[in-house]
Amino acid sequence: MSKFKKGLEGIIALETEISYIDGEKGILEYRGHRIEKLAELSYEEVVHLLLYDKLPNTEELNEFFNKTKVIRELDVRTKEVIHYHNFNIEAMDALMTALAHISQGDPDLNVNTPEANIRKALRLIAKAPTIVAYYQRIHEGKEIVKPNELLPHCSNFLYMLRGEVPTKLESKILDLDFILSTEHELNASTFAVRVTASTLSDIHSAVISGIGTLKGVLHGGARLAVMNMLDEIGSPKKTEEYIMNMINTKQRIMGFGHRVYRVVDPRANIFRDLAKKIAEEKKDMKWYDMATKIEEVVTRELVEKQGKPIYMNVDFYSGVIYKYLEIPPKLATAIFALGRITGWLAHAMEQYSDNRLIRPRAKYIGEHHSQDKEISKLTKD
Amino acid sequence: MSKFKKGLEGIIALETEISYIDGEKGILEYRGHRIEKLAELSYEEVVHLLLYDKLPNTEELNEFFNKTKVIRELDVRTKEVIHYHNFNIEAMDALMTALAHISQGDPDLNVNTPEANIRKALRLIAKAPTIVAYYQRIHEGKEIVKPNELLPHCSNFLYMLRGEVPTKLESKILDLDFILSTEHELNASTFAVRVTASTLSDIHSAVISGIGTLKGVLHGGARLAVMNMLDEIGSPKKTEEYIMNMINTKQRIMGFGHRVYRVVDPRANIFRDLAKKIAEEKKDMKWYDMATKIEEVVTRELVEKQGKPIYMNVDFYSGVIYKYLEIPPKLATAIFALGRITGWLAHAMEQYSDNRLIRPRAKYIGEHHSQDKEISKLTKD
């Protein structure tokens, strides 16, 4: 019990059938399917794969879509609670509060069966985007835009957020963002979800642990940090100098480096291509040019000259894409959560299916006070 | 990377100076002080010890009390949010929602400095009991009872809950319940708190992960299960038969067994004495007699005959004590959280002080699909 790996680095905490990462080769699979293949599908198909361990046929996909499209709307009380939110903060905190509120009204809240958990999972996936969109609309002083049952999941989210149907490419990009964000083995938020589920707490509580954990800048908060960095740099011309200054002063460059990958994150490669497409559609190469410049400088200075495996990760180009989708920065982490929620739910259900309480030990490194010494009794009894 | 310990049993996840457990000898220390000694103090003194790593002198204790007693009240909006709660569920879910709401209004929400975290910690400790008391009063259709600045922390909670000042013994008992509940090394909820904090997410989010994790029946939910079991048994005479039936049908007996202890939980011994005292004050030995009978049967059958280390744990007599304090069962887990919150906060701050992202690995045991096979493209692009 004396040695330990800080941050549990490289320690196997559990077995899973949900995803597979080879950090040396840059391979990522969900349920045994390579991420490059899954990137061709719709988010709904990937959700079906993760929750039911099966890619849907046309009939199953239609059934899934019909079941979820009608449960996107929020009840009156949840809308009231969103009105009480603080709009000067990240949407993440609003999402957490509203989901905690919604959990109280869920008829299956404390029913922990596979069937009830699937029902709760579908409700959570369907309603979470509505919370974020309503929050933003209310914040902007605009009328809320009710869910549109004709639109698929991601397209509907952009519609509720902006009040107009997005372009085909925009929808495709958000679909891909959700697909690439939804699952990544035992990242910190998914691990938190499983720790919560391992006490046999309810699946809403498990997801809420995931949200709180994703928020941190060493995890989902990195996208917001990337967006802020792009804003701060301001133009492609200033990029080299800005990044060189960060490197020289040994600052962490957001969107680069990963605990598991020793090569480029396979998700980042897919994102880069898409960032270029949307830049071309918008006829605005600014963010894309800045991004490729940052990547070039970091690769040259840190990877090639210093030999460090600091490659771009999934957060880097997703931050760039959010700039093109005109996502308000304070929504960035919450939108990551809207994608990741499906992975969390799949992991919570897998934890329940073969549970053992996750309860490690700590090594005590403080002092032991003498047992003879009387503790000074300060209060009168 | 191929072997692993399910539930991370016996695996050291991190180093701590907060608490020490010797599970073989039944020793528990907070900051190097034995639990038996700490049981003589007030909850405020133990809070000071955990947060500041120092037992307070009279002046420090007064300062601490003066600082916290004035911040117990909730703002108007939080009270409104509590009115929107569902009162048919556990108070735990109400506590989670209200704390998430409160976090949004905290002026230090995203300030992660030791000073800001102490300020947030004191607010959370001071306000959490008010949430639970208001929730229960509103549920009962009664006027809320505002915090009383003349009363110490635990005594004030009982006062807000019932509308009258508790007896000296009742206050002492709740103080002790909070002291014994507040900290226990890397139990699942505290571990979840540290996983959340390790992404550098905010301390409110970390505490909310703790709440969701504590709720499960394999953790804090055990107290509620003990209370429900006592109610179901109904009388001391029926106890032997009821427990024998559970043992014969191999059911888990709530309040017995612990991942770490191989002897009686040292906290349970302290609780047992106190349960007797309150039973005598209330002139009602029923719950105490049932409890000692359950302990006797379990010890005889499982420990002595079967040689299993299934001793009573902290949840057992605390469930008994809650019966005497006439705590509504659905408040049981939330009250555990009101005690445990200080330990969570101390751990979150320790995590921030020397952080490394907690991100273990999973072992993939699913299949790998062929890369040649085309994924059937189901949706039209």
Side-chain angles (χ1 to χ4, degrees), chain B residues 159-333:
Chain B
Y159 168 76
M160 291 188 296
L161 196 59
R162 301 164 165 184
E164 53 191 47
V165 177
T167 71
K168 209 167 132 183
L169 182 62
E170 285 177 328
S171 294
K172 173 72 199 152
I173 281 178
L174 199 67
D175 243 46
L176 195 64
D177 180 58
F178 277 35
I179 291 170
L180 298 181
S181 302
T182 195
E183 169 52 25
H184 208 243
E185 201 220 45
L186 282 196
N187 59 86
S189 61
T190 302
F191 186 49
V193 164
R194 291 194 71 137
V195 173
T196 299
S198 84
T199 70
L200 300 182
S201 186
D202 68 283
I203 207 165
H204 282 84
S205 291
V207 163
I208 288 165
S209 291
I211 290 174
T213 308
L214 186 71
K215 187 184 163 193
V217 73
L218 299 187
H219 194 7
R223 291 186 186 188
L224 171 59
V226 168
M227 293 177 82
N228 288 340
M229 178 174 72
L230 292 171
D231 278 334
E232 210 178 294
I233 299 176
S235 86
K237 274 188 295 184
K238 294 182 190 156
T239 307
E240 167 107 24
E241 188 191 337
Y242 184 95
I243 298 297
M244 281 307 295
N245 180 48
M246 287 190 84
I247 290 172
N248 290 334
T249 54
K250 295 193 190 303
Q251 290 176 67
R252 177 193 292 267
I253 299 163
M254 302 316 293
F256 287 82
H258 194 278
R259 173 73 63 89
V260 178
Y261 292 113
R262 291 294 163 265
V263 292
V264 174
D265 186 329
R267 301 167 295 176
N269 280 326
I270 301 171
F271 261 142
R272 192 205 283 113
D273 295 345
L274 216 64
K276 193 176 179 194
K277 277 192 197 150
I278 186 83
E280 284 164 358
E281 177 174 290
K282 299 263 180 189
K283 295 189 174 47
D284 172 10
M285 301 306 289
K286 177 177 157 184
W287 306 115
Y288 179 75
D289 287 346
M290 283 168 70
T292 50
K293 184 53 136 180
I294 295 171
E295 202 193 334
E296 182 196 311
V297 177
V298 172
T299 305
R300 186 187 70 215
E301 297 296 323
L302 296 181
V303 183
E304 292 168 9
K305 291 194 190 162
Q306 300 187 24
K308 292 179 183 164
I310 300 181
Y311 296 96
M312 63 168 178
N313 61 42
V314 70
D315 300 312
F316 186 61
Y317 276 100
S318 79
V320 176
I321 279 169
Y322 288 178
K323 292 301 292 181
Y324 282 113
L325 291 178
E326 293 167 54
I327 301 283
K330 67 178 198 164
L331 260 57
T333 323

Side-chain angles (χ1 to χ4, degrees), chain B residues 40-184:
Chain B
E40 297 165 20
L41 303 181
S42 68
Y43 183 60
E44 280 86 343
E45 286 168 293
V46 175
V47 171
H48 195 286
L49 173 67
L50 287 170
L51 296 186
Y52 300 95
D53 194 11
K54 180 181 185 307
L55 279 171
N57 58 33
T58 311
E59 200 184 325
E60 287 164 336
L61 186 62
N62 284 338
E63 193 195 324
F64 179 75
F65 179 65
N66 289 333
K67 215 188 283 181
T68 51
K69 72 179 183 183
V70 294
I71 54 174
R72 291 168 178 164
E73 179 62 299
L74 308 178
D75 63 60
V76 178
R77 286 195 160 188
T78 306
K79 284 186 224 171
E80 283 300 320
V81 168
I82 296 176
H83 273 279
Y84 282 133
H85 282 350
N86 176 353
F87 296 99
N88 297 316
I89 55 171
E90 275 191 69
M92 215 41 183
D93 302 287
L95 179 61
M96 180 190 274
T97 311
L99 283 184
H101 179 79
I102 278 181
S103 78
Q104 296 186 30
D106 194 298
D108 294 310
L109 175 61
N110 289 318
V111 188
N112 195 341
T113 61
E115 298 73 26
N117 284 327
I118 280 282
R119 288 196 296 274
K120 287 187 275 189
L122 297 184
R123 286 181 207 127
L124 279 162
I125 293 167
K127 290 182 199 302
T130 315
I131 294 169
V132 177
Y134 283 7
Y135 174 79
Q136 182 60 21
R137 297 289 295 186
I138 294 167
H139 172 43
E140 290 172 357
K142 293 176 182 163
E143 282 289 307
I144 58 169
V145 178
K146 286 182 183 296
N148 181 338
E149 291 186 13
L150 298 174
L151 297 175
H153 190 73
C154 294
S155 183
N156 172 63
F157 171 64
L158 283 176
Y159 168 76
M160 291 188 296
L161 196 59
R162 301 164 165 184
E164 53 191 47
V165 177
T167 71
K168 209 167 132 183
L169 182 62
E170 285 177 328
S171 294
K172 173 72 199 152
I173 281 178
L174 199 67
D175 243 46
L176 195 64
D177 180 58
F178 277 35
I179 291 170
L180 298 181
S181 302
T182 195
E183 169 52 25
H184 208 243

